[in-house]
Amino acid sequence: MAILQSPIKEEFESLLDKSNEQFDNGNHHDSILLLEKAWDLIPEPRGIYSEESFHLVKDIIATYSIINDFKKAKEWADKIYLTGYARIDSGDKEFISGKVAFELGDLETAKEFFSIANNKSEGRCFGSSKSIKYLKFFKSK
């Protein structure tokens, strides 16, 4: 697993700090713009910077979800597969993609992603109280 080197690492962390500040102040769009700038700093192939790339894209998707921009969340859900090459595959990426597909009304795709995530995580992906609506949907016929 590769590690971001100076000065990229410092600039990356600075953008994350500024993004968190904007997020905490309710400026979600500004927060996303800073996260996207941080994404652009990660050298190719981004997936070898496992933790930075995965968590960054996960945060971008989550923030787009908060502002109900699921079309943009979908663009980033597609990119999540370019991240975290060295991470243990516990279905996180598929679960995130399933949530985005569900919110976009693409229920067939959502069910497929949830099925993959459920298998990989042995059901743990649905463990959060925030996941109840997705679990109910997944368990329905």
Side-chain angles (χ1 to χ4, degrees), residues 7-118:
I8 293 172
K9 181 179 180 174
E10 286 79 14
E11 188 175 350
F12 180 85
E13 290 175 353
S14 174
L15 287 168
L16 294 185
D17 290 342
K18 291 174 185 175
S19 172
N20 288 336
E21 185 178 316
Q22 292 301 314
F23 184 91
D24 291 343
N25 289 328
N27 301 323
H28 297 113
H29 290 285
D30 292 337
S31 173
I32 290 168
L33 291 175
L34 291 162
L35 293 174
E36 290 175 344
K37 280 185 181 180
W39 172 257
D40 290 338
L41 286 178
I42 302 173
E44 294 284 350
R46 291 180 176 104
I48 65 172
Y49 302 92
S50 289
E51 292 307 309
E52 293 91 346
S53 63
F54 175 77
H55 289 289
L56 180 67
V57 172
K58 186 177 174 184
D59 288 347
I60 291 170
I61 294 166
T63 308
Y64 272 124
S65 297
I66 287 169
I67 61 172
N68 294 312
D69 189 343
F70 291 101
K71 287 183 181 180
K72 290 296 275 186
K74 165 89 171 72
E75 289 176 25
W76 284 94
D78 292 343
K79 290 180 186 182
I80 205 163
Y81 298 96
L82 304 173
T83 71
Y85 295 163
R87 289 177 49 83
I88 294 172
D89 190 359
S90 59
D92 291 338
K93 295 174 184 179
E94 291 83 4
F95 188 71
I96 290 166
S97 293
K99 291 191 308 184
V100 171
F102 177 87
E103 298 300 339
L104 284 170
D106 187 352
L107 302 183
E108 186 176 323
T109 300
K111 193 151 277 211
E112 285 294 320
F113 277 125
F114 287 148
S115 178
I116 295 166
N118 187 57

Side-chain angles (χ1 to χ4, degrees), residues 115-129:
S115 178
I116 295 166
N118 187 57
N119 289 336
K120 286 182 176 182
S121 72
E122 298 177 343
R124 289 185 300 276
C125 64
F126 292 105
S128 164
S129 61

